[in-house]
Amino acid sequence: MTERNKTITSEFLLLGLPIKPEHQHLFYALFLTMYLTTVLGNLLIIVLIRLDPHLHTPMYLLLSNLSFSDLCFSSVTMPKLLQNMQSQVPAIPYAGCLTQMYFFLYFGDLESFLLLAMAYDRYVAICFPLHYTSIMSPKLCVGLMVLSWVLTTLHALLHTLLVARLSFCGNNTIPHFFCDLSALVKLACSDTHVNELVIFIMGCLIIVAPFLLIVMSYARIVSSILKVLSVRSIHKVFSTCGSHLAVVSLFYGTAGALYLCPSADNSTMKETVMAMMYTVVTPMLNPFIYSLRNRDMNGALRRIFYKKKIPSFQ
């Protein structure tokens, strides 16, 4: 009974960001602006792809799913962060903490798999242009998305169940702005060897493996382009793959450095800044990266506004 009573933890305290009290309102306004930009930007991409028939292609179907994932990924942490910045006691219930951790893992994993699917789409489009339609069929696209959703569900559920079996004793303070998996494992007072082993193995499968496959796909793309050296072909590669490469670099660079290359002297400030990069900054920048230099997205936006204006001239 004594051991059982030690495991009962009703809530955790999130330390949040190391911001001085006099700067709280400034950073609150900054993070609120970033979150609203993330929501509106990704919603705009989803609506444009939904409304414009020209964008009903495998590439933009995957992009709309990525935008939805970014929107949800940011919404898992930002509302609670903004609430805690205005609260004297930044507490989160035990069940709420596990729920936040589950959806954080879920949408983070989903982004990783969607970026891999988009890399495969670009690989087929450039290396096998004549067979693109037959290879990237609607059935395959739906299959890739369903597989991504199923795998992320199983992975997030696995970690959540493993954390739920841990014992949390006196210290219930999480030195983070959200319920991060590694922070919760470090906080536990029971044996965490199984958790740490699963985190390492699954981290390699979820982060390293997709990243290596993306690198391989772009290596094949570069190899095929070098066989036909022309300004037009090189321009085509950069116009179709540049945006995706930028997003891949942002997401895997920060997430990989934080979770796969941890150091014993990592400060809370360093970990927090890196976590902010891939949980807040990357979802906010994705709509700009994919839309500002994308002629199809800009064309869809003009067509929708043009349709709105036509009745006023009649």
Side-chain angles (χ1 to χ4, degrees), residues 23-92:
H23 299 152
Q24 282 282 349
H25 295 296
L26 175 63
F27 278 93
Y28 179 85
L30 174 63
F31 292 139
L32 179 60
T33 303
M34 293 173 68
Y35 177 60
L36 292 177
T37 303
T38 301
V39 172
L40 294 175
N42 284 289
L43 276 178
L44 177 62
I45 288 182
I46 295 172
V47 171
L48 282 178
I49 294 174
R50 176 71 177 176
L51 294 180
D52 196 314
H54 296 85
L55 300 180
H56 293 176
T57 62
M59 173 183 172
Y60 291 105
L61 179 63
L62 294 171
L63 177 58
S64 65
N65 276 264
L66 181 67
S67 294
F68 176 76
S69 176
D70 281 335
L71 192 157
C72 295
F73 190 41
S74 185
S75 297
V76 170
T77 57
M78 286 302 289
K80 186 61 180 176
L81 170 63
L82 294 170
Q83 177 189 345
N84 287 346
M85 290 182 73
Q86 298 295 309
S87 174
Q88 297 297 325
V89 183
I92 183 171

Side-chain angles (χ1 to χ4, degrees), residues 159 162 185 192-204:
H159 282 301
L162 288 176
V185 171
T192 60
H193 284 93
V194 174
N195 297 75
E196 292 168 356
L197 179 62
V198 173
I199 288 174
F200 176 77
I201 294 174
M202 298 306 295
C204 291

Side-chain angles (χ1 to χ4, degrees), residues 125-143:
I126 294 175
C127 297
F128 306 97
L130 299 180
H131 302 284
Y132 176 77
T133 305
S134 59
I135 296 176
M136 292 301 296
S137 62
K139 184 178 179 180
L140 177 62
C141 290
V142 173

Side-chain angles (χ1 to χ4, degrees), residues 139-283:
K139 184 178 179 180
L140 177 62
C141 290
V142 173
L144 289 174
M145 289 185 294
V146 171
L147 180 62
S148 299
W149 287 77
V150 171
L151 290 177
T152 53
T153 299
L154 295 176
H155 177 246
L157 185 61
L158 172 64
H159 282 301
T160 304
L161 293 176
L162 288 176
V163 170
R165 58 182 279 275
L166 296 178
S167 302
F168 297 94
C169 304
N171 185 14
N172 67 336
T173 302
I174 300 176
H176 224 310
F177 64 92
F178 66 96
C179 292
D180 182 53
L181 172 61
S182 59
L184 281 172
V185 171
K186 291 177 183 177
L187 203 63
C189 58
S190 56
D191 182 56
T192 60
H193 284 93
V194 174
N195 297 75
E196 292 168 356
L197 179 62
V198 173
I199 288 174
F200 176 77
I201 294 174
M202 298 306 295
C204 291
L205 294 176
I206 300 297
I207 298 178
V208 177
F211 177 72
L212 291 177
L213 290 173
I214 291 173
V215 171
M216 288 174 57
S217 68
Y218 277 104
R220 294 293 298 274
I221 290 173
V222 172
S223 175
S224 65
I225 292 302
L226 290 178
K227 296 176 182 178
V228 187
L229 287 176
S230 67
V231 176
R232 184 178 179 181
S233 60
I234 295 175
H235 176 73
K236 179 183 178 181
V237 171
F238 279 103
S239 63
T240 56
C241 301
S243 300
H244 185 256
L245 277 174
V247 174
V248 167
S249 301
L250 277 172
F251 180 78
Y252 285 105
T254 52
L258 182 59
Y259 289 107
L260 298 180
C261 304
S263 58
D265 60 345
N266 261 359
S267 65
T268 302
M269 171 67 79
K270 179 182 177 182
E271 291 183 354
T272 302
V273 170
M274 294 176 69
M276 287 290 293
M277 281 297 297
Y278 78 91
T279 59
V280 180
V281 177
T282 301

